[in-house]
Amino acid sequence: MATFLYKIGRISFRRRHFVALIWVALLTLAGVGAASAPAAGNSSFSIPGTEAQKAFDLLEQRFPGTSADGATARVVFKAPSGEKMTDPGNKATVQETVKELADGSEVVRVTDPYQAKAVSKDGTVAYAQVSYKVSGMELEDSSRDALEDSAQDARKAGLTVEIGGDALQTVPHTGTTEIIGIAVAAVVLVITFGSLIAAGLPLLTALIGVGIGVSSITALASALDLGSTTSTLAMMIGLAVGIDYALFIVSRYRAELAEGRDREEAAGRAVGTAGSAVVFAGLTVVIALVGLSVVNIPMLTKMGVAAAGTVAIAVLIALTMVPALLGYAGRKVKPAGEKGKLLGRAKKQEEQDKPVKPNLGTRWASFVVRRPVAVLLLGVVGLGTAAVPAGSLELGLPDDGSQPTSTTQRRAYDLLSEGFGPGFNGPLMVVVDAKDSDDPKAAFTAVGDEIKGLDDVVTVTPPAPNKAGDTATITVIPDSKPSSVATEDLVHSIRGKGAGIKADSDANVLVTGQTAMNIDVSEKLNDALIPYLVLVVGLAFLLLIVVFRSILVPLKAALGFLLSVMAALGAVVAVFQWGWLAGLMGVEQTGPVMSMMPIFMVGVVFGLAMDYEVFLVTRMREAYVHGEKAGQAVVTGFRHGARVVTAAAVIMMAVFAGFIGSSESMVKMIGFGLAIAVFFDAFVVRMAIVPAVLALLGRKAWWLPKWLDRALPNVDVEGEGLRSASGDQDKELVRA
């Protein structure tokens, strides 16, 4: 592989005009496609195989034209102090508001609180429910404006009016902190390279790669039903890996220049050596992201595949466009050890002749090699302590109750809880399929009676059959809030009763609704976590065996990843569930961690963790293969790679942390989780635990059974083929 990539690097350097033209053309094509593509709506959220989804599909068949997937809004009214909603003046205001709401072109129906008995027992709170033909993300701005204007008119009459539901759902924004993250990355690159030109190359290539990836996602969003979070995730990961991959190529290029090679040869060798590490690091990220498809949640699968595509683009750009731009830069990119005009001129000859003081990476690695046990214990205990909060992990999906208290959705949620009880915000819809029953009406009644006898039930509405009379819906109001364990137990209790009802009346009982769907999603994600771990870690383990030609090094890499991901989950729980540093992170409302967070973090963090493993340990193996002792190889690997890996980790943390400013709670949580995970993995696991373990193992770290060594393909990540070819060329020159 090293020889093949070496040729790509030289060709890209030599044919830089052609390479640059191709990538600019791709960026233009993707941009035009994104600009001309129809606007994408909200990604459909289906969970194949769950009972809630089966019930939802059945409703679509048996209750046609009801727009079961359409947006809803609850307009909640509260009377002024000392008054009731049944007072004539307040009643007239509400009815006028209902009339205004019904005039919308996208409105299917609006319920009158007084006819639907949607007035609290104490008479202080009432609500009107508005149903729309399309989903919340597809609603026209005029419909949202009409909804808010109607509420404002009622407020002028003296009522407190708030709006809940998904009708006000909008595309999330990431905020200015994303720009700050890129700015921090730029500063780190300038400090690392000491040159604006060298620092600008990774940023430029990363932005081009992300531009192509995100524009392609935008262009295909409508056709492939991709949600707004998909492009945000692709941007987040694409920026991080794009900058890092280019950073490693440019850094190796400068090191090759420092050894006296001409620029084209240095570009070829940089791509042949560091490029090999980029390819395998990128493959681990792609495996982890594409592996999300095993969960069988279409939205998560699409997010993973789209982000994986952006990572693949980042790898291709690092292998081709980076050497092409290095050709354009010429002498403006200095050899390693030389500083540009920005941070000082090159050293004088007498200064260069002085003994060079070991860099910080060398001194740290030497310390770890001398004290491996102490460093290992400190690292493991530290990560174990950070992981302690993960034992209190509570999973759930966000609803209006998790919104900031400053939003109208959250205030509407609180008013409904005040007037009708906490369970009113999470109603359960029981669907009774009595198509095979001899007496459907009796089956409907029997189901309602069974549910009334269960614990934690406040209200059970009469069955509402369809026109054919073979299917009915029953609304159940729990006594507990939607995200509580009691509500989850109630869902399982109703489903448990369904088996007996099926035996008695041949009627199927299904539970659906947003609350039941959230419960099913959480259980599905929990069930998929272990298979996903086995698949992703297993495939990456095999890949790393090929890269490092070792059994223990990949095993150590996987165990270190588990430590860092558990510590990161602990930090997420501490901030988003317990509320530690919540104000600093902009978390206005604590609550359960999003159900998909653990499995998503496992996938992304594993891929990124292997980046640092590959970049750092390949340098160690390169030194070991070329004759150094095991302990010295660790120090050599740090001397060449620690500075660059540190810069790469800081850059990746800055990019991820930039998304903490997002208005979308899922994006905010993912940004924080990935940033803290990179910190734990890069600075504790890869910089401390990994060298400590390798120092303790010595030569055994690189042991591989002879039969397996013969069976594995030789991918030559260390560039041994390039060294051999160079030696042959030198011999030919000597003979001449």
Side-chain angles (χ1 to χ4, degrees), residues 22-33:
I22 289 178
W23 284 112
V24 171
L26 288 174
L27 178 61
T28 304
L29 184 64
V32 171

Side-chain angles (χ1 to χ4, degrees), residues 89-364:
N90 293 336
K91 186 173 182 180
T93 300
V94 171
Q95 290 177 330
E96 181 62 28
T97 303
V98 169
K99 184 178 178 181
E100 289 180 18
L101 291 169
D103 291 337
S105 60
E106 294 181 305
V107 174
V108 176
R109 63 183 175 276
V110 182
T111 60
D112 186 317
Y114 303 100
Q115 294 179 6
K117 297 181 180 179
V119 180
S120 62
K121 290 182 179 179
D122 62 5
T124 59
V125 180
Y127 72 91
Q129 182 149 317
V130 188
S131 301
Y132 293 90
K133 298 175 183 177
V134 296
S135 68
M137 293 295 287
E138 295 171 317
L139 269 183
E140 294 180 0
D141 290 338
S142 58
S143 295
R144 292 195 184 92
D145 292 340
L147 180 62
E148 293 175 340
D149 290 344
S150 298
Q152 188 60 35
D153 291 341
R155 290 189 187 106
K156 291 178 181 178
L159 298 178
T160 298
V161 186
E162 304 296 348
I163 305 170
D166 59 355
L168 296 182
Q169 185 177 11
T170 57
V171 177
H173 63 275
T174 53
T176 57
T177 50
E178 177 188 343
I179 309 271
I180 295 174
I182 296 176
V184 171
V187 171
V188 173
L189 287 169
V190 170
I191 293 174
T192 302
F193 292 135
S195 164
L196 284 175
I197 299 296
L201 287 179
L203 278 177
L204 177 61
T205 55
L207 290 172
I208 291 174
V210 167
I212 294 173
V214 173
S215 296
S216 300
I217 292 170
T218 303
L220 298 172
S222 180
L224 300 181
D225 191 26
L226 303 177
S228 58
T229 308
T230 303
S231 59
T232 305
L233 174 67
M235 182 188 302
M236 184 190 303
I237 295 178
L239 269 177
V241 301
I243 294 173
D244 277 9
Y245 294 166
L247 167 64
F248 280 96
I249 298 290
V250 174
S251 177
R252 188 60 183 253
Y253 170 77
R254 295 177 72 236
E256 296 293 336
L257 287 178
E259 293 184 12
R261 294 186 174 87
D262 65 69
R263 295 187 177 275
E264 183 178 327
E265 177 70 11
R269 285 180 170 271
V271 176
T273 51
S276 297
V278 165
V279 169
F280 282 99
L283 275 175
T284 59
V285 180
V286 169
I287 287 172
L289 290 170
V290 174
L292 290 170
S293 58
V294 303
V295 183
N296 196 25
I297 295 180
M299 184 187 74
L300 198 59
T301 299
K302 292 171 185 176
M303 288 171 64
V305 171
T310 307
V311 171
I313 292 172
V315 171
L316 292 175
I317 282 185
L319 299 179
T320 57
M321 193 171 187
V322 169
L325 292 181
L326 288 171
Y328 283 117
R331 297 184 179 278
K332 293 180 180 178
V333 176
K334 305 291 184 182
E338 289 189 22
K339 294 181 180 180
K341 294 181 180 179
L342 183 67
L343 295 180
R345 299 183 181 276
K347 295 179 180 179
K348 296 179 180 179
Q349 183 62 44
E350 57 269 21
E351 292 176 343
Q352 294 178 359
D353 293 338
K354 293 180 180 180
V356 179
K357 182 182 179 181
N359 61 22
L360 181 60
T362 302
R363 297 197 300 272
W364 169 250

Side-chain angles (χ1 to χ4, degrees), residues 280-281 283-284 287 536-558 606 610 613-614 617-618 621 625 701-718:
F280 282 99
L283 275 175
T284 59
I287 287 172
V536 172
V537 177
L539 287 175
F541 181 77
L542 295 175
L543 186 65
L544 292 178
I545 288 178
V546 174
V547 174
F548 296 128
R549 308 195 77 78
S550 163
I551 297 293
L552 296 179
V553 171
L555 180 61
K556 173 261 313 166
F606 182 78
M610 294 306 104
E613 181 75 14
V614 170
V617 180
T618 47
R621 175 162 177 79
V625 168
W702 308 107
W703 171 80
L704 186 70
K706 292 183 179 179
W707 63 269
L708 185 56
D709 187 39
R710 291 191 297 268
L712 291 177
N714 183 13
V715 295
D716 190 22
V717 176
E718 301 82 17

Side-chain angles (χ1 to χ4, degrees), residues 392-444:
S392 303
L393 178 66
E394 296 177 8
L395 298 177
L397 289 178
D399 55 18
D400 285 348
S402 61
Q403 296 269 11
T405 53
S406 58
T407 62
T408 186
Q409 294 97 321
R410 173 59 189 276
R411 291 195 294 263
Y413 180 97
D414 292 339
L415 283 177
L416 289 172
S417 296
E418 176 188 330
F420 300 92
F424 194 79
N425 285 292
L428 306 176
M429 180 179 288
V430 179
V431 182
V432 186
D433 178 9
K435 190 173 184 178
D436 298 329
S437 177
D438 296 332
D439 189 351
K441 289 185 178 180
F444 300 154

